[in-house]
Amino acid sequence: MGSKILAINPGSTSTKVALYDDEHPLLELTLRHSAEEIARFDDIISQLDWRREIILSALREQHFDIRELAVVIGRGGLVKPIPAGVYEVNDAMRHDLRHASREHASNLGGLLAADIAAMAGVKAYIADPVVVDEMDDVARMSGLPDCPRRSILHALNQKATVRLHCERVGLVYEEHNFIVAHLGGGISVTAHKRGRMVDTNNALDGDGPIAPERAGSLPTSGLADLCFSGRYTRHDVERLAGKGGMVAHLGTNSVMSVMERMRAGDEEAKRFIEAMCYTISKEIGAMAAVLEGKVDGIVLTGGIAYNAPVTDAIRQRCSFIAPVTVYPGENELEALMSNALAVLRGICTPRLYT
């Protein structure tokens, strides 16, 4: 018997949990939350106790005693910008997760892990949260001093997937350069330079490619017109980016349904998919310039990467830069487990969050 690891990945309408014995999966559950259930709560943080009890109840139904756990690890949220790595959940982190600058389901990950770990008498961690910041200083500058560029991306899956790619092709992550594109509800395209994510688009605030649930980069004058049109409050404008992209154009965030519409001859669906692939490819090209053309591979991952027409379109535009390899899926629970196991085995030392 190895070490039992519980990984927790909260989303807006579900909480995904997985139980491992070392790296061997024992259980994986997607605990879905209806719109009616979510509507009972004023904000995401107020869902903490409710989601914790759902997780504990699901584990009891599987006849698992949490006192068998060696560690609990949750998806990291919108804490302060930090380097990549594993962090023990401490009082400072709990405070910042509860009072994060933006509402996001990932803010619950460390809090849920800490609560359950305390009950089990073990430690709680997060790994590679969405605010991992390894950007070069030159990449932070925008055209306005009051609006610096920020690093918000799918760091957990990006780091785990590119390391998996390196293992498979016999390269050392810290010695080579890659462009990684996480293709999900939001899209992040990142330049990985010898183990550091030196530049990326902001996948939360509407920077970069058009995505299923993100508007991507917008014309400044057009956005200003919307802000001063009287149709929207500040809160509404902040949420526009998350209601843009495929949701705004086609009324759905389901790439699968839009692909079906495209195959049935829907020209609007086809036009959107082409535009999304175009903007993703353009962002990959920009990151190639960041790396001065020295790119050892382009890695496509995330849920959208299951769709061959999308990955084929990106490959057609970008394969001249470097070989394109596809690893479909988000794999975030497995990535969390790998980080927790590295701590248990002494391969990495947890960082201190301050």
Side-chain angles (χ1 to χ4, degrees):
M1 298 293 288
S3 301
K4 301 295 194 302
I5 300 168
L6 180 65
I8 304 172
N9 182 9
S12 57
T13 59
S14 68
T15 304
K16 296 179 180 179
V17 296
L19 184 65
Y20 297 88
D21 187 349
D22 285 345
E23 59 271 278
H24 307 295
L26 300 177
L27 175 68
E28 185 169 334
L29 300 171
T30 298
L31 308 172
R32 303 195 181 279
H33 315 310
S34 69
E36 292 76 18
E37 289 175 312
I38 295 293
R40 294 188 290 118
F41 299 93
D42 294 332
D43 53 33
I44 286 174
I45 292 301
S46 62
Q47 300 171 21
L48 176 62
D49 293 345
W50 172 66
R51 292 210 195 201
R52 183 189 62 240
E53 293 310 310
I54 289 175
I55 294 170
L56 293 173
S57 176
L59 293 175
R60 285 193 295 268
E61 288 178 7
Q62 299 296 322
H63 308 291
F64 179 76
D65 186 345
I66 63 170
R67 290 174 295 181
E68 297 179 37
L69 289 170
V71 67
V72 185
I73 187 165
R75 183 182 177 196
L78 293 166
V79 292
K80 292 181 174 66
I82 52 178
V86 181
Y87 291 78
E88 185 174 348
V89 182
N90 58 15
D91 289 342
M93 183 183 294
R94 283 195 290 268
H95 175 274
D96 287 354
L97 287 170
R98 286 182 174 275
H99 302 91
S101 59
R102 294 280 297 273
E103 275 211 358
H104 196 270
S106 63
N107 294 338
L108 290 170
L111 296 171
L112 288 166
D115 282 2
I116 295 174
M119 298 170 66
V122 297
K123 291 186 175 182
Y125 300 100
I126 66 166
D128 294 337
V130 294
V131 290
V132 165
D133 187 350
E134 301 176 331
M135 288 172 67
D136 286 339
D137 286 342
V138 68
R140 302 178 195 280
M141 184 177 290
S142 77
L144 291 174
D146 291 337
C147 301
R149 297 184 66 241
R150 297 175 63 200
S151 176
I152 301 181
L153 74 160
H154 304 86
L156 179 64
N157 188 43
Q158 284 210 20
K159 286 276 190 179
T161 303
V162 72
R163 286 185 182 279
L164 172 64
H165 175 70
C166 287
E167 289 176 11
R168 291 188 176 179
V169 300
L171 297 177
V172 178
Y173 173 54
E174 290 79 9
E175 296 178 1
H176 293 81
N177 298 338
F178 302 92
I179 299 169
V180 184
H182 176 104
L183 313 178
I187 292 173
S188 56
V189 181
T190 307
H192 292 243
K193 184 177 182 180
R194 296 180 178 272
R196 288 177 53 240
M197 299 185 292
V198 297
D199 200 353
T200 188
N201 67 288
N202 184 325
L204 180 63
D205 289 338
D207 177 28
I210 302 170
E213 297 175 357
R214 302 288 189 274
S217 299
L218 294 171
T220 305
S221 59
L223 181 59
D225 288 342
L226 290 178
C227 290
F228 291 96
S229 67
R231 294 160 51 194
Y232 304 101
T233 65
R234 176 188 173 88
H235 181 69
D236 293 335
V237 172
E238 288 178 345
R239 293 176 63 86
L240 276 178
K243 294 183 177 179
M246 186 181 292
V247 172
H249 282 274
L250 301 175
T252 179
N253 64 355
S254 170
V255 175
M256 185 178 298
S257 67
V258 171
M259 297 298 294
E260 291 174 355
R261 287 168 56 176
M262 188 175 74
R263 286 190 288 268
D266 186 325
E267 288 299 320
E268 188 178 5
K270 179 183 178 183
R271 183 167 171 265
F272 179 85
I273 293 295
E274 288 176 348
M276 183 177 71
C277 295
Y278 176 86
T279 57
I280 294 167
S281 302
K282 187 163 65 170
E283 196 72 21
I284 290 172
M287 295 303 160
V290 167
L291 296 172
E292 300 177 347
K294 300 171 184 175
V295 184
D296 296 295
I298 298 169
V299 175
L300 307 181
T301 184
I304 298 177
Y306 282 109
N307 295 277
V310 171
T311 56
D312 288 347
I314 297 169
R315 181 180 282 109
Q316 182 175 347
R317 288 187 180 274
C318 299
S319 59
F320 77 95
I321 299 170
V324 178
T325 309
V326 180
Y327 295 89
E330 297 185 351
N331 309 313
E332 289 178 329
L333 290 169
E334 186 176 352
L336 289 170
M337 173 275 295
S338 296
N339 280 281
L341 195 56
V343 171
L344 291 174
R345 291 176 173 174
I347 297 170
C348 81
T349 302
R351 292 174 176 265
L352 175 65
Y353 179 81
T354 60

